[in-house]
């Protein structure tokens, strides 16, 4: 296996499946199957999931809501998604822990780095909820931050497109895909991989990012085996 410990970043929207909002149990089960494939190979897995399928703080702010309040609501949405994913993974027989940046002891452990690492070493899948616990930071930033803290080998950013292109492939049929690209080139070309804070944090810590299509069966395993799936961003 190419990677020993990964941080998988999933968007909240990915959990909607064919729905307009909320959580699609079928999509959850599919993701659980994909994750089980790499878990069975002995890979240590940490997961950060967004909350955009339930509530997005910045969207609330644009409609007149207080931004800080909206962001905390978004953090709670990620906890709901984390609980749903936890249930789906445990249905497949995997051991999991949900850790949150906000204290919600009735349903999750508080985030403690050493405890998270210990869970990973014991083969448990650790889901990090509630983002960084601070407003004005995205779940992309939370993913990179947690990835750095637990010494992950890579950030695997599962999306609905199969990599990074020089323009939007959903709007431009002639968009060119990059297999490998440097952090500097992403900045020079003005490509949108993650928000700036997350991207800079990843670059400073030399933590590579792989952007790939999570909805294509087998992609997650292929990446962990070292196949060129999606786009790899590195120094």
């Amino acid at each position: 296996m190419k990677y020993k410990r990964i941080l998988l970043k999933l968007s909240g929207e990915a959990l909607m499946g064919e729905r307009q909002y909320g959580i699609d149990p079928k999509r959850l089960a599919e993701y659980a199957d994909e994750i089980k494939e790499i878990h069975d190979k002995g890979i240590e897995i940490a997961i950060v999931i967004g909350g955009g399928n339930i509530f997005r703080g910045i969207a609330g702010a644009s409609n007149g809501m207080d931004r800080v309040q909206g962001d905390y609501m978004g953090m709670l949405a990620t906890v709901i998604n984390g609980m749903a994913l936890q249930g789906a993974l445990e249905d497949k027989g995997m051991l999991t822990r949900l850790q949150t940046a906000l204290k919600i002891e009735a349903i999750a452990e508080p985030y403690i780095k050493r405890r998270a690492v210990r869970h990973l070493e014991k083969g448990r899948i650790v889901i990090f909820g509630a983002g960084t616990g601070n407003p004005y930071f995205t779940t992309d930033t939370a993913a990179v931050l947690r990835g750095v803290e637990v010494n992950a080998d890579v950030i695997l950013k599962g999306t609905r497109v199969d990599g990074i292109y020089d323009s939007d492939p959903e709007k431009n049929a002639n968009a060119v895909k990059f297999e490998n690209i440097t952090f500097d080139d992403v900045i020079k070309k003005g490509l949108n991989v993650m928000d700036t804070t997350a991207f800079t944090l990843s670059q400073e810590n030399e933590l590579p990012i792989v952007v790939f299509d999570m909805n294509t069966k087998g992609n997650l395993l292929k990446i962990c085996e070292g196949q060129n799936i999606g786009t790899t961003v590195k120094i």
Side-chain angles (χ1 to χ4, degrees), residues 9 16 39 62 85 117 156-157 162 196 222:
K9 168 62 169 64
M16 294 190 297
H39 181 262
S62 68
L85 183 60
V117 170
L156 301 184
K157 183 173 165 69
D162 62 345
T196 310
K222 287 174 184 173

Side-chain angles (χ1 to χ4, degrees), residues 122-154:
K122 287 184 173 181
R124 298 168 186 148
I125 296 172
V126 183
I127 303 165
F128 298 120
T132 65
N134 300 289
Y136 296 98
F137 291 95
T138 66
T139 50
D140 276 350
T141 300
V144 176
L145 178 63
R146 297 291 182 248
V148 170
E149 287 179 314
V150 303
N151 296 314
D153 299 321
V154 66

